[in-house]
PDB file of all heavy atoms in Angstrom:
ATOM      1  N   VAL A   1     -38.991 -37.950  -6.585  1.00  0.00           N
ATOM      2  CA  VAL A   1     -38.647 -38.157  -8.021  1.00  0.00           C
ATOM      3  C   VAL A   1     -38.382 -36.828  -8.677  1.00  0.00           C
ATOM      4  O   VAL A   1     -37.403 -36.685  -9.445  1.00  0.00           O
ATOM      5  CB  VAL A   1     -39.684 -38.945  -8.731  1.00  0.00           C
ATOM      6  CG1 VAL A   1     -39.457 -38.976 -10.202  1.00  0.00           C
ATOM      7  CG2 VAL A   1     -39.786 -40.378  -8.264  1.00  0.00           C
ATOM      8  N   GLU A   2     -39.195 -35.839  -8.423  1.00  0.00           N
ATOM      9  CA  GLU A   2     -38.986 -34.565  -9.050  1.00  0.00           C
ATOM     10  C   GLU A   2     -37.718 -33.943  -8.628  1.00  0.00           C
ATOM     11  O   GLU A   2     -37.017 -33.335  -9.440  1.00  0.00           O
ATOM     12  CB  GLU A   2     -40.174 -33.609  -8.602  1.00  0.00           C
ATOM     13  CG  GLU A   2     -41.569 -34.106  -9.051  1.00  0.00           C
ATOM     14  CD  GLU A   2     -42.674 -33.312  -8.449  1.00  0.00           C
ATOM     15  OE1 GLU A   2     -42.434 -32.205  -7.885  1.00  0.00           O
ATOM     16  OE2 GLU A   2     -43.772 -33.734  -8.448  1.00  0.00           O
ATOM     17  N   ASN A   3     -37.368 -34.085  -7.337  1.00  0.00           N
ATOM     18  CA  ASN A   3     -36.096 -33.521  -6.844  1.00  0.00           C
ATOM     19  C   ASN A   3     -34.919 -34.189  -7.475  1.00  0.00           C
ATOM     20  O   ASN A   3     -33.891 -33.505  -7.778  1.00  0.00           O
ATOM     21  CB  ASN A   3     -36.063 -33.679  -5.305  1.00  0.00           C
ATOM     22  CG  ASN A   3     -37.079 -32.843  -4.588  1.00  0.00           C
ATOM     23  OD1 ASN A   3     -37.543 -31.778  -5.072  1.00  0.00           O
ATOM     24  ND2 ASN A   3     -37.497 -33.246  -3.408  1.00  0.00           N
ATOM     25  N   ILE A   4     -34.947 -35.512  -7.580  1.00  0.00           N
ATOM     26  CA  ILE A   4     -33.856 -36.149  -8.237  1.00  0.00           C
ATOM     27  C   ILE A   4     -33.619 -35.740  -9.638  1.00  0.00           C
ATOM     28  O   ILE A   4     -32.479 -35.449 -10.056  1.00  0.00           O
ATOM     29  CB  ILE A   4     -34.064 -37.714  -8.187  1.00  0.00           C
ATOM     30  CG1 ILE A   4     -34.093 -38.233  -6.765  1.00  0.00           C
ATOM     31  CG2 ILE A   4     -32.917 -38.449  -8.931  1.00  0.00           C
ATOM     32  CD1 ILE A   4     -34.625 -39.659  -6.652  1.00  0.00           C
ATOM     33  N   ARG A   5     -34.736 -35.605 -10.402  1.00  0.00           N
ATOM     34  CA  ARG A   5     -34.569 -35.250 -11.814  1.00  0.00           C
ATOM     35  C   ARG A   5     -34.092 -33.822 -11.969  1.00  0.00           C
ATOM     36  O   ARG A   5     -33.414 -33.453 -12.898  1.00  0.00           O
ATOM     37  CB  ARG A   5     -35.934 -35.380 -12.479  1.00  0.00           C
ATOM     38  CG  ARG A   5     -36.372 -36.900 -12.643  1.00  0.00           C
ATOM     39  CD  ARG A   5     -37.346 -37.063 -13.758  1.00  0.00           C
ATOM     40  NE  ARG A   5     -37.369 -38.555 -14.115  1.00  0.00           N
ATOM     41  CZ  ARG A   5     -38.377 -39.313 -13.880  1.00  0.00           C
ATOM     42  NH1 ARG A   5     -39.470 -38.901 -13.291  1.00  0.00           N
ATOM     43  NH2 ARG A   5     -38.320 -40.595 -14.276  1.00  0.00           N
ATOM     44  N   GLU A   6     -34.423 -32.990 -10.984  1.00  0.00           N
ATOM     45  CA  GLU A   6     -33.968 -31.508 -10.997  1.00  0.00           C
ATOM     46  C   GLU A   6     -32.506 -31.438 -10.522  1.00  0.00           C
ATOM     47  O   GLU A   6     -31.739 -30.712 -11.182  1.00  0.00           O
ATOM     48  CB  GLU A   6     -34.876 -30.710 -10.117  1.00  0.00           C
ATOM     49  CG  GLU A   6     -34.487 -29.209 -10.085  1.00  0.00           C
ATOM     50  CD  GLU A   6     -35.385 -28.406  -9.218  1.00  0.00           C
ATOM     51  OE1 GLU A   6     -36.467 -28.905  -8.776  1.00  0.00           O
ATOM     52  OE2 GLU A   6     -34.954 -27.276  -8.921  1.00  0.00           O
ATOM     53  N   MET A   7     -32.213 -32.113  -9.452  1.00  0.00           N
ATOM     54  CA  MET A   7     -30.810 -31.925  -8.844  1.00  0.00           C
ATOM     55  C   MET A   7     -29.787 -32.979  -9.373  1.00  0.00           C
ATOM     56  O   MET A   7     -28.580 -32.622  -9.204  1.00  0.00           O
ATOM     57  CB  MET A   7     -31.003 -32.125  -7.306  1.00  0.00           C
ATOM     58  CG  MET A   7     -31.903 -31.074  -6.713  1.00  0.00           C
ATOM     59  SD  MET A   7     -31.990 -31.246  -4.946  1.00  0.00           S
ATOM     60  CE  MET A   7     -33.242 -30.088  -4.475  1.00  0.00           C
ATOM     61  N   ALA A   8     -30.165 -33.986 -10.000  1.00  0.00           N
ATOM     62  CA  ALA A   8     -29.262 -34.976 -10.517  1.00  0.00           C
ATOM     63  C   ALA A   8     -29.779 -35.430 -11.884  1.00  0.00           C
ATOM     64  O   ALA A   8     -30.189 -36.597 -12.007  1.00  0.00           O
ATOM     65  CB  ALA A   8     -29.026 -36.147  -9.561  1.00  0.00           C
ATOM     66  N   PRO A   9     -29.739 -34.568 -12.902  1.00  0.00           N
ATOM     67  CA  PRO A   9     -30.489 -34.815 -14.152  1.00  0.00           C
ATOM     68  C   PRO A   9     -29.858 -36.013 -14.928  1.00  0.00           C
ATOM     69  O   PRO A   9     -30.560 -36.500 -15.849  1.00  0.00           O
ATOM     70  CB  PRO A   9     -30.317 -33.524 -14.949  1.00  0.00           C
ATOM     71  CG  PRO A   9     -29.177 -32.775 -14.295  1.00  0.00           C
ATOM     72  CD  PRO A   9     -29.174 -33.155 -12.854  1.00  0.00           C
ATOM     73  N   GLU A  10     -28.675 -36.424 -14.664  1.00  0.00           N
ATOM     74  CA  GLU A  10     -28.106 -37.514 -15.387  1.00  0.00           C
ATOM     75  C   GLU A  10     -28.277 -38.877 -14.628  1.00  0.00           C
ATOM     76  O   GLU A  10     -27.727 -39.876 -15.023  1.00  0.00           O
ATOM     77  CB  GLU A  10     -26.581 -37.210 -15.565  1.00  0.00           C
ATOM     78  CG  GLU A  10     -26.350 -36.040 -16.419  1.00  0.00           C
ATOM     79  CD  GLU A  10     -24.816 -35.727 -16.604  1.00  0.00           C
ATOM     80  OE1 GLU A  10     -24.021 -36.661 -16.375  1.00  0.00           O
ATOM     81  OE2 GLU A  10     -24.553 -34.594 -16.947  1.00  0.00           O
ATOM     82  N   ALA A  11     -29.085 -38.866 -13.540  1.00  0.00           N
ATOM     83  CA  ALA A  11     -29.355 -40.104 -12.875  1.00  0.00           C
ATOM     84  C   ALA A  11     -30.329 -40.913 -13.690  1.00  0.00           C
ATOM     85  O   ALA A  11     -31.179 -40.421 -14.357  1.00  0.00           O
ATOM     86  CB  ALA A  11     -29.941 -39.833 -11.495  1.00  0.00           C
ATOM     87  N   GLU A  12     -30.226 -42.223 -13.611  1.00  0.00           N
ATOM     88  CA  GLU A  12     -31.136 -43.124 -14.318  1.00  0.00           C
ATOM     89  C   GLU A  12     -32.208 -43.548 -13.225  1.00  0.00           C
ATOM     90  O   GLU A  12     -31.948 -44.298 -12.253  1.00  0.00           O
ATOM     91  CB  GLU A  12     -30.424 -44.451 -14.828  1.00  0.00           C
ATOM     92  CG  GLU A  12     -31.303 -45.425 -15.429  1.00  0.00           C
ATOM     93  CD  GLU A  12     -30.601 -46.668 -15.792  1.00  0.00           C
ATOM     94  OE1 GLU A  12     -29.320 -46.606 -16.151  1.00  0.00           O
ATOM     95  OE2 GLU A  12     -31.205 -47.741 -15.791  1.00  0.00           O
ATOM     96  N   VAL A  13     -33.440 -43.064 -13.367  1.00  0.00           N
ATOM     97  CA  VAL A  13     -34.437 -43.101 -12.337  1.00  0.00           C
ATOM     98  C   VAL A  13     -35.339 -44.279 -12.614  1.00  0.00           C
ATOM     99  O   VAL A  13     -35.964 -44.351 -13.645  1.00  0.00           O
ATOM    100  CB  VAL A  13     -35.194 -41.817 -12.170  1.00  0.00           C
ATOM    101  CG1 VAL A  13     -36.281 -41.991 -11.035  1.00  0.00           C
ATOM    102  CG2 VAL A  13     -34.269 -40.610 -11.873  1.00  0.00           C
ATOM    103  N   THR A  14     -35.536 -45.123 -11.580  1.00  0.00           N
ATOM    104  CA  THR A  14     -36.573 -46.164 -11.596  1.00  0.00           C
ATOM    105  C   THR A  14     -37.629 -45.789 -10.637  1.00  0.00           C
ATOM    106  O   THR A  14     -37.384 -45.364  -9.535  1.00  0.00           O
ATOM    107  CB  THR A  14     -35.970 -47.543 -11.139  1.00  0.00           C
ATOM    108  OG1 THR A  14     -34.926 -47.905 -12.111  1.00  0.00           O
ATOM    109  CG2 THR A  14     -37.062 -48.617 -11.120  1.00  0.00           C
ATOM    110  N   GLU A  15     -38.943 -45.919 -11.076  1.00  0.00           N
ATOM    111  CA  GLU A  15     -40.023 -45.593 -10.195  1.00  0.00           C
ATOM    112  C   GLU A  15     -40.939 -46.856  -9.983  1.00  0.00           C
ATOM    113  O   GLU A  15     -41.235 -47.585 -10.919  1.00  0.00           O
ATOM    114  CB  GLU A  15     -40.930 -44.507 -10.919  1.00  0.00           C
ATOM    115  CG  GLU A  15     -40.189 -43.160 -11.067  1.00  0.00           C
ATOM    116  CD  GLU A  15     -41.110 -42.157 -11.731  1.00  0.00           C
ATOM    117  OE1 GLU A  15     -42.147 -41.837 -11.180  1.00  0.00           O
ATOM    118  OE2 GLU A  15     -40.725 -41.759 -12.867  1.00  0.00           O
ATOM    119  N   TYR A  16     -41.312 -46.949  -8.751  1.00  0.00           N
ATOM    120  CA  TYR A  16     -42.270 -48.037  -8.375  1.00  0.00           C
ATOM    121  C   TYR A  16     -43.449 -47.417  -7.611  1.00  0.00           C
ATOM    122  O   TYR A  16     -43.467 -46.173  -7.292  1.00  0.00           O
ATOM    123  CB  TYR A  16     -41.613 -49.108  -7.476  1.00  0.00           C
ATOM    124  CG  TYR A  16     -40.644 -49.960  -8.167  1.00  0.00           C
ATOM    125  CD1 TYR A  16     -39.282 -49.999  -7.780  1.00  0.00           C
ATOM    126  CD2 TYR A  16     -41.071 -50.760  -9.162  1.00  0.00           C
ATOM    127  CE1 TYR A  16     -38.359 -50.867  -8.399  1.00  0.00           C
ATOM    128  CE2 TYR A  16     -40.185 -51.659  -9.872  1.00  0.00           C
ATOM    129  CZ  TYR A  16     -38.842 -51.644  -9.432  1.00  0.00           C
ATOM    130  OH  TYR A  16     -37.932 -52.504 -10.114  1.00  0.00           O
ATOM    131  N   ASP A  17     -44.454 -48.199  -7.339  1.00  0.00           N
ATOM    132  CA  ASP A  17     -45.617 -47.676  -6.539  1.00  0.00           C
ATOM    133  C   ASP A  17     -45.332 -47.627  -5.042  1.00  0.00           C
ATOM    134  O   ASP A  17     -45.914 -46.843  -4.302  1.00  0.00           O
ATOM    135  CB  ASP A  17     -46.847 -48.492  -6.857  1.00  0.00           C
ATOM    136  CG  ASP A  17     -46.673 -49.994  -6.515  1.00  0.00           C
ATOM    137  OD1 ASP A  17     -45.530 -50.441  -6.484  1.00  0.00           O
ATOM    138  OD2 ASP A  17     -47.706 -50.706  -6.404  1.00  0.00           O
ATOM    139  N   VAL A  18     -44.393 -48.448  -4.591  1.00  0.00           N
ATOM    140  CA  VAL A  18     -44.102 -48.528  -3.148  1.00  0.00           C
ATOM    141  C   VAL A  18     -42.546 -48.580  -2.917  1.00  0.00           C
ATOM    142  O   VAL A  18     -41.836 -49.144  -3.786  1.00  0.00           O
ATOM    143  CB  VAL A  18     -44.797 -49.721  -2.457  1.00  0.00           C
ATOM    144  CG1 VAL A  18     -46.241 -49.526  -2.426  1.00  0.00           C
ATOM    145  CG2 VAL A  18     -44.386 -51.077  -3.112  1.00  0.00           C
ATOM    146  N   TYR A  19     -42.074 -48.147  -1.791  1.00  0.00           N
ATOM    147  CA  TYR A  19     -40.653 -48.091  -1.470  1.00  0.00           C
ATOM    148  C   TYR A  19     -40.090 -49.474  -1.289  1.00  0.00           C
ATOM    149  O   TYR A  19     -38.846 -49.641  -1.422  1.00  0.00           O
ATOM    150  CB  TYR A  19     -40.430 -47.161  -0.307  1.00  0.00           C
ATOM    151  CG  TYR A  19     -40.590 -45.697  -0.613  1.00  0.00           C
ATOM    152  CD1 TYR A  19     -41.649 -45.002  -0.113  1.00  0.00           C
ATOM    153  CD2 TYR A  19     -39.634 -45.017  -1.462  1.00  0.00           C
ATOM    154  CE1 TYR A  19     -41.810 -43.622  -0.435  1.00  0.00           C
ATOM    155  CE2 TYR A  19     -39.846 -43.693  -1.751  1.00  0.00           C
ATOM    156  CZ  TYR A  19     -40.930 -42.942  -1.292  1.00  0.00           C
ATOM    157  OH  TYR A  19     -41.066 -41.688  -1.524  1.00  0.00           O
ATOM    158  N   SER A  20     -40.926 -50.360  -0.754  1.00  0.00           N
ATOM    159  CA  SER A  20     -40.317 -51.716  -0.579  1.00  0.00           C
ATOM    160  C   SER A  20     -39.768 -52.338  -1.846  1.00  0.00           C
ATOM    161  O   SER A  20     -38.773 -53.090  -1.762  1.00  0.00           O
ATOM    162  CB  SER A  20     -41.401 -52.678   0.025  1.00  0.00           C
ATOM    163  OG  SER A  20     -42.535 -52.642  -0.766  1.00  0.00           O
ATOM    164  N   LYS A  21     -40.310 -52.031  -2.993  1.00  0.00           N
ATOM    165  CA  LYS A  21     -39.699 -52.521  -4.186  1.00  0.00           C
ATOM    166  C   LYS A  21     -38.422 -51.897  -4.501  1.00  0.00           C
ATOM    167  O   LYS A  21     -37.453 -52.534  -5.051  1.00  0.00           O
ATOM    168  CB  LYS A  21     -40.680 -52.337  -5.347  1.00  0.00           C
ATOM    169  CG  LYS A  21     -41.997 -53.082  -5.255  1.00  0.00           C
ATOM    170  CD  LYS A  21     -42.970 -52.816  -6.446  1.00  0.00           C
ATOM    171  CE  LYS A  21     -44.249 -53.596  -6.216  1.00  0.00           C
ATOM    172  NZ  LYS A  21     -45.268 -53.321  -7.268  1.00  0.00           N
ATOM    173  N   CYS A  22     -38.265 -50.646  -4.165  1.00  0.00           N
ATOM    174  CA  CYS A  22     -36.929 -49.945  -4.264  1.00  0.00           C
ATOM    175  C   CYS A  22     -35.875 -50.663  -3.400  1.00  0.00           C
ATOM    176  O   CYS A  22     -34.701 -50.894  -3.793  1.00  0.00           O
ATOM    177  CB  CYS A  22     -36.999 -48.533  -3.912  1.00  0.00           C
ATOM    178  SG  CYS A  22     -37.871 -47.449  -5.173  1.00  0.00           S
ATOM    179  N   ALA A  23     -36.321 -50.964  -2.169  1.00  0.00           N
ATOM    180  CA  ALA A  23     -35.363 -51.655  -1.233  1.00  0.00           C
ATOM    181  C   ALA A  23     -34.953 -52.968  -1.790  1.00  0.00           C
ATOM    182  O   ALA A  23     -33.792 -53.385  -1.680  1.00  0.00           O
ATOM    183  CB  ALA A  23     -36.060 -51.806   0.151  1.00  0.00           C
ATOM    184  N   ASP A  24     -35.908 -53.705  -2.381  1.00  0.00           N
ATOM    185  CA  ASP A  24     -35.530 -55.021  -2.997  1.00  0.00           C
ATOM    186  C   ASP A  24     -34.513 -54.870  -4.079  1.00  0.00           C
ATOM    187  O   ASP A  24     -33.600 -55.653  -4.128  1.00  0.00           O
ATOM    188  CB  ASP A  24     -36.801 -55.687  -3.591  1.00  0.00           C
ATOM    189  CG  ASP A  24     -37.825 -56.159  -2.495  1.00  0.00           C
ATOM    190  OD1 ASP A  24     -37.368 -56.306  -1.335  1.00  0.00           O
ATOM    191  OD2 ASP A  24     -38.936 -56.444  -2.796  1.00  0.00           O
ATOM    192  N   ASP A  25     -34.774 -53.794  -4.991  1.00  0.00           N
ATOM    193  CA  ASP A  25     -33.750 -53.583  -6.077  1.00  0.00           C
ATOM    194  C   ASP A  25     -32.396 -53.215  -5.551  1.00  0.00           C
ATOM    195  O   ASP A  25     -31.386 -53.647  -6.105  1.00  0.00           O
ATOM    196  CB  ASP A  25     -34.307 -52.470  -6.930  1.00  0.00           C
ATOM    197  CG  ASP A  25     -35.228 -52.944  -8.054  1.00  0.00           C
ATOM    198  OD1 ASP A  25     -35.600 -54.169  -8.008  1.00  0.00           O
ATOM    199  OD2 ASP A  25     -35.610 -52.232  -8.984  1.00  0.00           O
ATOM    200  N   LEU A  26     -32.308 -52.403  -4.459  1.00  0.00           N
ATOM    201  CA  LEU A  26     -31.042 -52.110  -3.851  1.00  0.00           C
ATOM    202  C   LEU A  26     -30.355 -53.310  -3.302  1.00  0.00           C
ATOM    203  O   LEU A  26     -29.148 -53.535  -3.505  1.00  0.00           O
ATOM    204  CB  LEU A  26     -31.209 -51.026  -2.830  1.00  0.00           C
ATOM    205  CG  LEU A  26     -29.879 -50.543  -2.162  1.00  0.00           C
ATOM    206  CD1 LEU A  26     -28.930 -49.891  -3.172  1.00  0.00           C
ATOM    207  CD2 LEU A  26     -30.211 -49.537  -1.067  1.00  0.00           C
ATOM    208  N   ARG A  27     -31.114 -54.159  -2.636  1.00  0.00           N
ATOM    209  CA  ARG A  27     -30.570 -55.450  -2.075  1.00  0.00           C
ATOM    210  C   ARG A  27     -29.994 -56.308  -3.136  1.00  0.00           C
ATOM    211  O   ARG A  27     -28.989 -56.942  -2.967  1.00  0.00           O
ATOM    212  CB  ARG A  27     -31.612 -56.073  -1.209  1.00  0.00           C
ATOM    213  CG  ARG A  27     -31.133 -57.214  -0.448  1.00  0.00           C
ATOM    214  CD  ARG A  27     -32.242 -57.959   0.277  1.00  0.00           C
ATOM    215  NE  ARG A  27     -32.806 -57.143   1.333  1.00  0.00           N
ATOM    216  CZ  ARG A  27     -32.318 -57.106   2.582  1.00  0.00           C
ATOM    217  NH1 ARG A  27     -31.223 -57.794   2.953  1.00  0.00           N
ATOM    218  NH2 ARG A  27     -32.918 -56.325   3.451  1.00  0.00           N
ATOM    219  N   ASN A  28     -30.699 -56.348  -4.295  1.00  0.00           N
ATOM    220  CA  ASN A  28     -30.310 -57.234  -5.360  1.00  0.00           C
ATOM    221  C   ASN A  28     -29.383 -56.607  -6.403  1.00  0.00           C
ATOM    222  O   ASN A  28     -28.993 -57.326  -7.371  1.00  0.00           O
ATOM    223  CB  ASN A  28     -31.533 -57.763  -6.091  1.00  0.00           C
ATOM    224  CG  ASN A  28     -32.468 -58.590  -5.169  1.00  0.00           C
ATOM    225  OD1 ASN A  28     -31.975 -59.375  -4.314  1.00  0.00           O
ATOM    226  ND2 ASN A  28     -33.788 -58.502  -5.302  1.00  0.00           N
ATOM    227  N   GLY A  29     -28.904 -55.383  -6.166  1.00  0.00           N
ATOM    228  CA  GLY A  29     -27.996 -54.726  -7.011  1.00  0.00           C
ATOM    229  C   GLY A  29     -28.537 -54.243  -8.313  1.00  0.00           C
ATOM    230  O   GLY A  29     -27.760 -53.825  -9.208  1.00  0.00           O
TER     231      GLY A  29
END
């Protein structure tokens, strides 16, 4: 998360407690 905010400051970042939830969001668009 820190790297994304530093290297792509205009990204809209979503944070979860586990990566499986990120995978679900990617699958569902």
Side-chain angles (χ1 to χ4, degrees):
V1 169
E2 299 170 16
N3 293 333
I4 296 164
R5 291 201 164 112
E6 179 181 346
M7 299 181 185
E10 295 177 22
E12 180 185 328
V13 181
T14 296
E15 296 179 62
Y16 288 118
D17 56 341
V18 293
Y19 287 109
S20 54
K21 293 179 182 178
C22 286
D24 289 342
D25 273 9
L26 182 60
R27 187 183 293 273
N28 295 324

